[in-house]
């Protein structure tokens, strides 16, 4: 495997869980953008941020975090399901690697 893998999908579909497993198996670094957002904001979970500050505020944080990811290889990146709803964010994710949509049935 070469490049990066970007995992996205609905909440609870296993992006972080499977992302960590894939990273471990491939020797890649795992990055969870929700964790980065929580560290940047410093005021609770992503859900709490969206509830307290509103969805547009949260999406802007998400956009900034994803835009700040450096161009590098050998990473598995898990992003929130709504990240791909923003064209600018989706373009950045495509630059970073192969997008993989996780579905729970």
């Amino acid at each position: 495997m070469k490049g990066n893998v970007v995992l996205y999908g609905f909440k609870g579909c296993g992006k972080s869980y499977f992302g960590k497993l894939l990273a471990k198996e491939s020797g890649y670094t795992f990055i969870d953008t929700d964790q980065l957002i929580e560290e940047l904001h410093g005021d609770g979970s992503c859900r709490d941020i969206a509830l307290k500050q509103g969805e547009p505020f949260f999406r802007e944080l998400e956009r900034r975090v994803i835009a700040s990811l450096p161009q590098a290889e050998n990473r598995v990146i898990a992003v929130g399901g709504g990240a791909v709803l923003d064209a600018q964010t989706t373009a950045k994710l495509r630059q970073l690697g192969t997008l993989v949509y996780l579905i729970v049935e």
Side-chain angles (χ1 to χ4, degrees), residues 2-102:
K2 185 177 177 177
N4 297 311
V5 177
V6 179
L7 303 177
Y8 72 104
F10 288 107
K11 179 181 174 183
C13 71
K15 298 176 296 277
S16 295
Y17 176 80
F18 290 111
K20 289 174 186 175
L21 286 177
L22 179 59
K24 183 178 180 182
E25 288 296 316
S26 63
Y28 280 23
T29 300
F30 177 70
I31 297 172
D32 186 332
T33 59
D34 282 353
Q35 182 179 356
L36 296 176
I37 291 166
E38 291 168 0
E39 290 170 5
L40 173 69
H41 192 262
D43 189 26
S45 68
C46 288
R47 182 179 185 278
D48 291 341
I49 296 166
L51 287 173
K52 290 178 188 174
Q53 303 292 327
E55 185 79 12
F57 178 83
F58 173 76
R59 293 295 168 204
E60 179 56 30
L61 283 177
E62 182 175 59
R63 192 172 12 262
R64 286 181 19 215
V65 163
I66 291 170
S68 72
L69 293 174
Q71 207 58 39
E73 290 193 355
N74 304 327
R75 299 176 297 174
V76 176
I77 305 166
V79 301
V84 296
L85 299 176
D86 180 82
Q88 189 177 16
T89 301
T90 301
K92 173 65 176 184
L93 292 172
R94 285 188 174 133
Q95 289 176 352
L96 290 172
T98 302
L99 276 67
V100 176
Y101 180 58
L102 299 182

